[in-house]
Amino acid sequence: MDSENVEKKTETEERVKIDIASLSADEVKEKTDAGQTNQVKEDLLKSDRQIIQENTINVFNLLNLVLAALVIFVGSPKNALFFGVVIINTCIGVFQELKAKHTIDKLSVLAKAQATVIRDGYETLVDQNEIVLDDTLLLRNGDQIPVDGKIIQTEGLEVDESLLTGESDRVSKNIEDKVFSGSFVTAGTAFYEATAVGKDNFAQKLTQAAKSKKNTSSDLVKILGRMIAVLTVLIVPVGLGMMYSQYLSTDSFKQAVLGTVASLVSMIPEGLMLLTSVAFAVGAANLARRKVLVQSMSSIETLARVDTICLDKTGTITDGTLKFEKAILEKVSGQRFEQIMNALMTQLPDTNATANALRERFKQKSNWYKKKIIPFSSARKWSGVSFEDDGSYVIGAPEFVFTRVPAIVYEHAQSFMEEGYRILVLASYPKTLTTELTEPVELLAILIISDNLRENAAETFGYFEQQDVTLKVISGDHPLTVSKIAQKAGIKDADSYIDMSNLLGSESYQTLARENTVFGRVSPEQKQRLVEALQKQKHTVCMTGDGVNDVLALRQADIGVAMANGSSAARAASDVILLDSDFKKMQDVLKEGRRVINNIERVASMYLVKTIYSVILAVIFMLVTWPYPFEPIQLTPINALTVGIPSFFLALKPSYERIKGDFLNNILRVSVPGAVTVVVGIMLAQLAGWSFNLTTLSTSTISVFFTGCVGLFVLYTVSKPFDQNKVLLIVVMSGLYLACFLVFRDFFNFDQLLDRDLFFVIPLAFGGFWFFNFLTSMMHHVVNWRGRWQRRKFRPFT
């Protein structure tokens, strides 16, 4: 215990005491015990209870339970076997989803929102839910404000309150001014006192809306939901109509129940929503294992459909480790230059990569006394300090420091920018600084900053080019510098660049976005407008960023991706967080999104085959009043071996092909031909039974066997492209399906297949395979024609 106390004491002694009012440890404990904490529920996923409840207590499971009870009631418990399959599928699905959730929960702690508080006079980093009432908090550029409060000390604090007001204008804050949770710091630093925590925060609801801005159902889930809503409405009248029709045709209440239950069981895609939920959760868990945190499940689908990625230079193309290389001095001696730079870098509160690189080089303490500080902001692109007796100085981008950039700056800067260096200027200002430079400045030095290209940059961007994903580089740096770095990284058309600071305001952003690859000197508002312009051209846009200047664009994009080492505001505005801040992980993000959607399309195609043909057959057999060709027990091999079991395997398989077409068209191009083939085959079997005086059991067996064959045809089709495991899956399912007729015939109430039924089964199966392929080909052409027509209809004017 003594050694622990010594270690803690040593750590405390190394920390710098901050001379500002703060709570003691005892006061924090009292407030925590009193419940005065910032406890806000931030679960990104459903709770364990919700997962179990949603997957077990739902309309279709309850309906299956009622149908199973009916079958048992009429004295045929064996026909209730389908409900056992439902239970097994539900248990497997719940287990998979819970396992995925727990994986994400463990890793999401790495991206949990934190805040800097002052306690016992020292800076302490705590989770946002550990903030207590009256805590003193420190705000820096890029922070999202976690709780409401009152400013007690500030150095040029500016905040963006767009989440509260809808306006993105920066608001300066002075002592005694209020700040609200959900807004974020765009410049400066401040200490403030927490005046509200938890549910008492004025903007708590708005903050939560910002953090889950796109936390809505995906288009895929909406489509499936609409399908299931339609089925829910149909099931009751269809069930009643089938019961009446089957009783008329069989004159047996038991057979009427069995026929009705058989038609409804096939109609219910009981595992489809379950598998969709599991696929999303497992996809999010797979990404979490790769240190990528998905903040909403609907993001998975959007990730799969991304065709344009907008990225910044620093931290994506380069590794973000900037380095001061040298200064080209003008009108200032080397000694004076060192004094000015040391004074600036020890006084400025800037924490961006450029400031950190300069501070690493100019870190000697200065005895110059500050009079006024103007911190860096992405809108100004400069910062500066006015000193009591030593003048005023600014450091920043030449185009924003000077009204007209001197020729000497162009002469020196051009060659360095062509090599990918970043150029800044140091200048003196004749008056005390304000947020605008209204007087001419005098050039003192040109600063050369280097930025290292990421080791894996060329490989990463080459992958996206192969996948037909367009890259747009949107940066606050000079466009020539960004263009040269992007060319070195192998980004296609990186020599096509534009300086966004020169725009007149009348330009078409859609034209700019289409004709250029590199955008330099971009303001936060321009980033947002460029993303919006790409979306108007029917692109699915991913925006990556790490700074407060990226927040507007991150919120605008279809999918926002933030770096974990970036600002808290950027992380809060994003849908996905790269926990190790490695842009290469975007390959995993794209691939996992495609895997999930491709597999859900396969699974949905399989389930909808039996749903569609069951609805059609139910209508037909209600009209003609014939005995329904299936019993519930006979459907078990079809539902389990051609849909249920294979769908669990396919839903989790690797599948990284590019997403083509929309979800509904993609599933209908397989499910409609499959369903029509089943209906035609069954009606032919009924015709054969009537023509050749086959028994009802014989006709039923032929119908079941043919339906299962079509199910295997569909499984074969959706399994492409094949691998060894998929081939094995098809072979095993086919073998087990055949065994149900040859080995377990009596259990499933099948007729002897190896007799004259074989003469009907063989030509019907071969004919069904040909007919299914023919319809699939026709459907493929129809869907492609419809897609081309839609693209022509929505093509933007050029």
Side-chain angles (χ1 to χ4, degrees):
M1 181 67 72
D2 291 340
S3 63
E4 289 181 5
N5 288 335
V6 171
E7 183 179 344
K8 288 180 181 178
K9 183 179 178 181
T10 304
E11 289 177 358
T12 303
E13 288 174 349
E14 291 174 353
R15 297 158 68 192
V16 178
K17 188 86 172 179
I18 298 176
D19 186 20
I20 197 166
S22 62
L23 298 179
S24 67
D26 290 338
E27 288 173 322
V28 171
K29 186 177 185 306
E30 287 178 11
K31 291 180 180 294
T32 302
D33 293 341
Q36 296 176 331
T37 61
N38 192 44
Q39 290 286 348
V40 177
K41 186 177 178 63
E42 288 190 358
D43 287 338
L44 302 177
L45 297 173
K46 295 176 286 189
S47 67
D48 290 2
R49 181 178 179 181
Q50 283 176 307
I51 290 172
I52 295 171
Q53 185 173 330
E54 288 180 12
N55 287 315
T56 54
I57 305 173
N58 55 58
V59 172
F60 288 150
N61 280 358
L62 292 176
L63 181 58
N64 275 310
L65 179 62
V66 170
L67 296 178
L70 273 175
V71 169
I72 294 171
F73 176 74
V74 297
S76 186
K78 186 170 68 171
N79 275 290
L81 180 64
F82 69 88
F83 191 68
V85 176
V86 172
I87 293 174
I88 293 171
N89 282 349
T90 301
C91 291
I92 294 172
V94 168
F95 171 78
Q96 288 277 14
E97 196 167 350
L98 286 174
K99 181 181 176 183
K101 178 193 179 294
H102 294 158
T103 298
I104 298 169
D105 283 344
K106 288 176 185 176
L107 292 173
S108 63
V109 132
L110 298 175
K112 198 168 185 181
Q114 293 187 309
T116 301
V117 298
I118 312 302
R119 292 179 179 171
D120 287 323
Y122 294 100
E123 282 189 27
T124 305
L125 202 61
V126 300
D127 290 339
Q128 286 191 8
N129 59 7
E130 295 176 2
I131 298 170
V132 299
L133 191 66
D134 300 326
D135 247 332
T136 300
L137 293 94
L138 172 60
L139 293 175
R140 296 186 178 95
N141 188 8
D143 287 347
Q144 186 176 45
I145 298 174
V147 295
D148 298 350
K150 179 178 64 176
I151 299 293
I152 55 180
Q153 185 176 312
T154 178
E155 287 285 1
L157 183 71
E158 297 177 17
V159 300
D160 184 320
E161 297 181 339
S162 58
L163 295 181
L164 291 86
T165 65
E167 300 293 332
S168 59
D169 294 337
R170 287 160 292 283
V171 182
S172 296
K173 295 289 183 178
N174 300 308
I175 294 174
E176 295 295 319
D177 284 350
K178 293 180 179 180
V179 290
F180 300 98
S181 59
S183 52
F184 50 89
V185 180
T186 59
T189 60
F191 291 97
Y192 81 104
E193 179 185 342
T195 57
V197 291
K199 60 182 177 60
D200 295 327
N201 278 316
F202 177 74
Q204 197 270 327
K205 292 182 180 179
L206 291 173
T207 306
Q208 290 302 304
K211 290 184 177 180
S212 56
K213 61 183 169 55
K214 301 184 196 92
N215 192 20
T216 56
S217 296
S218 67
D219 290 340
L220 182 152
V221 172
K222 287 178 182 176
I223 290 172
L224 294 179
R226 285 196 290 267
M227 290 179 181
I228 288 172
V230 171
L231 284 173
T232 305
V233 173
L234 284 176
I235 278 173
V236 174
V238 169
L240 294 174
M242 279 294 294
M243 179 69 78
Y244 178 74
S245 170
Q246 291 303 293
Y247 185 75
L248 289 180
S249 63
T250 62
D251 201 26
S252 166
F253 179 70
K254 177 179 179 179
Q255 289 303 121
V257 168
L258 293 180
T260 301
V261 169
S263 68
L264 296 182
V265 165
S266 286
M267 201 179 298
I268 301 170
E270 69 280 344
L272 181 53
M273 290 302 288
L274 173 65
L275 279 175
T276 300
S277 176
V278 168
F280 277 131
V282 171
N286 288 341
L287 287 173
R289 293 187 189 98
R290 297 181 177 94
K291 300 296 180 68
V292 176
L293 182 65
V294 176
Q295 302 208 82
S296 65
M297 290 295 100
S298 60
S299 302
I300 296 284
E301 179 184 357
T302 312
L303 289 170
R305 303 188 185 280
V306 165
D307 61 9
T308 304
I309 298 178
C310 298
L311 48 96
D312 196 359
K313 173 176 72 72
T314 305
T316 52
I317 303 177
T318 62
D319 60 15
T321 55
L322 304 183
K323 181 182 177 183
F324 172 77
E325 294 293 342
K326 65 176 181 178
I328 302 172
L329 303 181
E330 294 288 335
K331 300 182 181 180
V332 65
S333 68
Q335 183 180 3
R336 182 66 175 172
F337 170 73
E338 292 281 341
Q339 288 177 334
I340 295 170
M341 289 300 297
N342 282 320
L344 280 172
M345 299 321 299
T346 53
Q347 297 286 358
L348 283 171
D350 303 342
T351 56
N352 53 53
T354 304
N356 292 337
L358 291 172
R359 196 171 287 117
E360 181 66 25
R361 167 62 178 80
F362 303 101
K363 53 188 175 185
Q364 292 186 10
K365 290 186 178 180
S366 172
N367 57 5
W368 292 13
Y369 294 100
K370 65 184 177 185
K371 180 180 180 182
K372 180 69 177 292
I373 290 179
I374 303 295
F376 177 85
S377 80
S378 55
R380 279 191 295 271
K381 294 195 180 344
W382 61 267
S383 57
V385 180
S386 293
F387 297 99
E388 291 284 357
D389 302 313
D390 298 279
S392 299
Y393 303 92
V394 296
I395 186 170
E399 302 94 314
F400 292 83
V401 171
F402 296 101
T403 304
R404 291 188 61 183
V405 179
I408 192 169
V409 175
Y410 275 122
E411 291 172 10
H412 286 294
Q414 191 72 14
S415 60
F416 285 104
M417 288 191 295
E418 288 180 354
E419 293 297 321
Y421 288 98
R422 181 179 296 192
I423 306 299
L424 300 177
V425 294
L426 171 68
S428 62
Y429 190 69
K431 294 184 177 181
T432 300
L433 288 169
T434 62
T435 55
E436 293 185 9
L437 300 175
T438 56
E439 300 292 328
V441 299
E442 182 179 15
L443 174 67
L444 299 181
I446 301 170
L447 310 182
I448 312 300
I449 311 288
S450 65
D451 200 351
N452 296 320
L453 191 68
R454 274 193 182 274
E455 185 179 348
N456 53 25
E459 174 192 343
T460 303
F461 299 132
Y463 169 80
F464 287 120
E465 184 178 344
Q466 292 172 4
Q467 299 299 315
D468 295 326
V469 176
T470 302
L471 298 174
K472 301 286 184 181
V473 185
I474 303 177
S475 175
D477 291 345
H478 193 283
L480 179 57
T481 300
V482 182
S483 174
K484 293 301 180 181
I485 288 284
Q487 289 178 56
K488 288 181 180 179
I491 294 179
K492 186 179 179 181
D493 298 327
D495 57 342
S496 175
Y497 62 86
I498 184 172
D499 188 335
M500 298 292 286
S501 65
N502 294 332
L503 297 187
L504 301 175
S506 58
E507 294 84 357
S508 165
Y509 272 75
Q510 291 195 45
T511 302
L512 293 174
R514 184 169 56 250
E515 294 180 351
N516 296 280
T517 297
V518 173
F519 304 83
R521 297 298 187 218
V522 187
S523 69
E525 292 77 13
Q526 287 175 329
K527 285 188 178 185
Q528 180 186 28
R529 291 188 66 183
L530 284 170
V531 171
E532 184 180 22
L534 289 165
Q535 290 172 323
K536 287 180 178 178
Q537 295 174 37
K538 304 301 177 184
H539 291 294
T540 303
V541 182
C542 169
M543 175 71 199
T544 66
D546 59 1
V548 68
N549 59 320
D550 298 315
V551 169
L552 296 176
L554 286 168
R555 291 212 308 256
Q556 177 67 46
D558 297 289
I559 196 86
V561 178
M563 307 294 174
N565 62 3
S567 69
S568 62
R571 294 198 302 273
S574 67
D575 305 283
V576 177
I577 300 175
L578 305 183
L579 296 178
D580 55 6
S581 300
D582 184 359
F583 184 75
K584 186 179 180 182
K585 292 295 176 68
M586 283 299 297
Q587 294 184 47
D588 296 327
V589 169
L590 183 68
K591 288 166 68 175
E592 190 62 30
R594 290 181 175 183
R595 186 195 68 77
V596 170
I597 302 306
N598 280 327
N599 289 341
I600 290 177
E601 284 184 354
R602 290 186 171 96
V603 169
S605 297
M606 296 162 66
Y607 274 97
L608 288 184
V609 169
K610 70 187 188 73
T611 297
I612 295 171
Y613 75 63
S614 296
V615 172
I616 296 173
L617 288 177
V619 172
I620 291 174
F621 281 86
M622 275 194 294
L623 295 176
V624 299
T625 62
W626 290 348
Y628 197 71
F630 305 138
E631 291 184 7
I633 188 65
Q634 294 175 327
L635 289 171
T636 301
I638 297 174
N639 294 339
L641 299 176
T642 71
V643 181
I645 295 174
S647 65
F648 266 103
F649 282 96
L650 292 179
L652 306 177
K653 286 287 293 178
S655 181
Y656 306 130
E657 306 85 36
R658 184 186 177 191
I659 306 293
K660 297 179 180 178
D662 63 81
F663 175 73
L664 187 58
N665 282 337
N666 288 345
I667 60 174
L668 291 180
R669 71 171 69 201
V670 175
S671 56
V672 169
V676 171
T677 303
V678 168
V679 172
V680 171
I682 286 178
M683 298 315 295
L684 288 174
Q686 296 297 309
L687 182 61
W690 177 75
S691 301
F692 296 94
N693 294 319
L694 300 179
T695 65
T696 301
L697 181 60
S698 181
T699 305
S700 175
T701 301
I702 294 171
S703 299
V704 173
F705 185 81
F706 175 76
T707 303
C709 287
V710 176
L712 292 172
F713 299 160
V714 172
L715 173 60
Y716 173 85
T717 301
V718 301
S719 296
K720 297 174 183 177
F722 295 116
D723 58 29
Q724 185 176 352
N725 291 333
K726 288 180 182 177
V727 171
L728 180 62
L729 175 67
I730 294 170
V731 170
V732 171
M733 293 300 103
S734 301
L736 290 175
Y737 186 69
L738 192 59
C740 292
F741 290 87
L742 302 180
V743 181
F744 304 105
R745 177 173 61 86
D746 293 336
F747 180 80
F748 290 109
N749 294 348
F750 291 140
D751 192 15
Q752 180 70 42
L753 193 62
L754 299 178
D755 58 7
R756 71 171 184 162
D757 288 352
L758 200 61
F759 292 98
F760 297 99
V761 165
I762 291 177
L764 198 58
F766 278 98
F769 181 72
W770 174 86
F771 187 62
F772 170 71
N773 284 334
F774 169 75
L775 290 180
T776 302
S777 177
M778 293 296 295
M779 194 71 180
H780 178 78
H781 290 303
V782 170
V783 168
N784 286 346
W785 174 84
R786 181 172 177 265
R788 286 194 298 271
W789 180 82
Q790 286 181 324
R791 285 193 295 273
R792 218 167 21 252
K793 179 180 177 182
F794 294 112
R795 183 178 296 158
F797 292 105
T798 57

